[in-house]
Amino acid sequence: MQQPMPTETGILQFLAICDSFYPADAVAAPISQQRQWYDALCARFDQPLPEGLTTEDALVLDKIATRHYRPQAIRTQTVLLYLHGGGFVVGSLESHHAICAEIADFAGAELISVDYRLAPEYRWPAQTDDCFEVLKHLLVSGRQIVLIGDSAGGNLAAGLAIRARQQRLLGIAGQVLIYPTLGGDLVSGSYSEMENAPGLRTSDVAYYRTSLKAPPGDPVAEPLAAASFAELPPAFITVAHFDPLRDDGRHYAAKLAKAGVEVWFREEPQLVHAWLRARHMSEGARLGFRAVCEAASRFAAA
């Protein structure tokens, strides 16, 4: 099958750099090697942090590592809670460090990033449990929260919103889901159309699901399987056209809207999975990242 491919020059350059760090068959390598490649790739796109922004690492409940970002100018008391991507297998506080800093600075809000436990050493629900503990800790303090996550982190963010609704926890001002994986069927729609997309293939998604071992149909693990989408927080959902996960975001946005939830949906026509890292070299990614930052800022100011 011919590989679908965008034409934007900046994103093609981004893909070439990614290929030089992260081979197409990376998921066949040992976990330690995958994490080494991923960390090196992420470091390649690092940018200097915004001027005046400070960071501090801290343990929540003496066990969950987090990183706190505080921009020079704070304009809201709402806290942004960021959950990183990486297929639940790779990723860390370092992998999304610059991304978190830039979002916090744009929104004028404190941001907390969670270093949740990874598969396959820790299977589901370790990841959502770690993030939920941090969320509850913040809500108990009386702070309003905006959930933000990319890819696997988008799954965790959507799942946290559902868990909070199940437990009648109030205080989530919004959810920003960036090319999220939400439990699509792997055989139809974008999973078929973009099966061999650059940056992420459907077989990669299957590998990550196997590593996580989440129960099929559980609405926290697979938010698309929720029995009801009513009374969930307002959402901003952005997807990439050249991404097998694309239709997960499309379908989730439609289900939320049908249930009366306020939704902003954006599809990036020339972007691929993980385009956040291309925000300083691709015009499409730059505009997409600005939309993410504006959404986080809007929810935080509400």
Side-chain angles (χ1 to χ4, degrees):
M1 180 183 295
Q2 185 175 4
Q3 185 180 43
M5 189 67 66
T7 58
E8 194 217 277
T9 301
I11 211 68
L12 292 175
Q13 293 172 344
F14 167 73
L15 287 170
I17 294 171
C18 291
D19 288 345
S20 71
F21 278 86
Y22 212 70
D25 61 348
V27 296
I31 294 296
S32 59
Q33 179 64 76
Q34 291 185 46
R35 291 174 182 160
Q36 183 179 338
W37 283 333
Y38 189 76
D39 288 345
L41 172 64
C42 295
R44 167 62 178 79
F45 297 104
D46 275 353
Q47 294 286 323
L49 300 190
E51 185 177 354
L53 180 138
T54 60
T55 67
E56 180 182 3
D57 290 354
L59 290 178
V60 171
L61 303 176
D62 296 322
K63 61 180 181 179
I64 304 169
T66 62
R67 180 165 294 166
H68 297 228
Y69 297 79
R70 185 176 179 85
Q72 188 172 47
I74 297 288
R75 299 189 297 274
T76 176
Q77 291 305 302
T78 298
V79 175
L80 312 179
L81 183 61
Y82 197 96
L83 313 173
H84 69 77
F88 309 102
V89 170
V90 299
S92 65
L93 296 179
E94 300 303 329
S95 64
H96 289 62
H97 183 53
I99 290 169
C100 288
E102 291 172 33
I103 294 174
D105 188 68
F106 185 100
E110 292 181 60
L111 183 149
I112 296 175
S113 178
V114 183
D115 195 20
Y116 57 84
R117 287 171 289 174
L118 298 175
E121 295 92 334
Y122 299 96
R123 308 290 191 177
W124 195 90
Q127 298 72 25
T128 182
D129 284 350
D130 285 353
C131 297
F132 196 53
E133 288 295 333
V134 176
L135 173 63
K136 289 191 296 183
H137 177 76
L138 292 170
L139 291 175
V140 166
S141 72
R143 307 293 290 272
Q144 291 280 110
I145 306 299
V146 176
L147 300 169
I148 310 175
D150 68 288
S151 193
N155 170 281
L156 291 169
L160 289 193
I162 290 172
R163 287 187 76 168
R165 183 188 63 178
Q166 290 172 343
Q167 298 192 20
R168 300 188 181 280
L169 298 178
L170 303 178
I172 299 177
Q175 50 184 325
V176 178
L177 311 181
I178 306 162
Y179 38 80
T181 174
L182 300 169
D185 63 18
L186 296 186
V187 296
S188 64
S190 57
Y191 284 107
S192 174
E193 181 188 350
M194 296 294 165
E195 179 181 4
N196 294 306
L200 184 73
R201 300 172 300 184
T202 298
S203 59
D204 299 329
V205 181
Y207 163 80
Y208 292 131
R209 289 190 186 181
T210 300
S211 298
L212 186 64
K213 293 194 180 306
D218 186 294
V220 174
E222 298 183 347
L224 280 169
S228 170
F229 300 88
E231 299 181 351
L232 287 170
F236 172 87
I237 302 173
T238 180
V239 300
H241 179 76
F242 294 91
D243 185 351
L245 300 180
R246 182 193 67 209
D247 287 356
D248 278 18
R250 280 184 181 176
H251 295 157
Y252 201 61
K255 288 177 180 292
L256 290 174
K258 186 176 181 180
V261 176
E262 192 170 20
V263 180
W264 290 263
F265 177 77
R266 182 180 174 103
E267 182 171 325
E268 303 297 345
Q270 279 293 310
L271 297 188
V272 297
H273 194 76
W275 59 256
L276 278 181
R277 303 195 191 290
R279 66 197 182 282
H280 295 296
M281 61 184 302
S282 155
E283 179 63 9
R286 183 187 70 80
L287 294 174
F289 184 64
R290 183 174 181 86
V292 165
C293 292
E294 288 174 344
S297 183
R298 179 170 63 248
F299 289 145

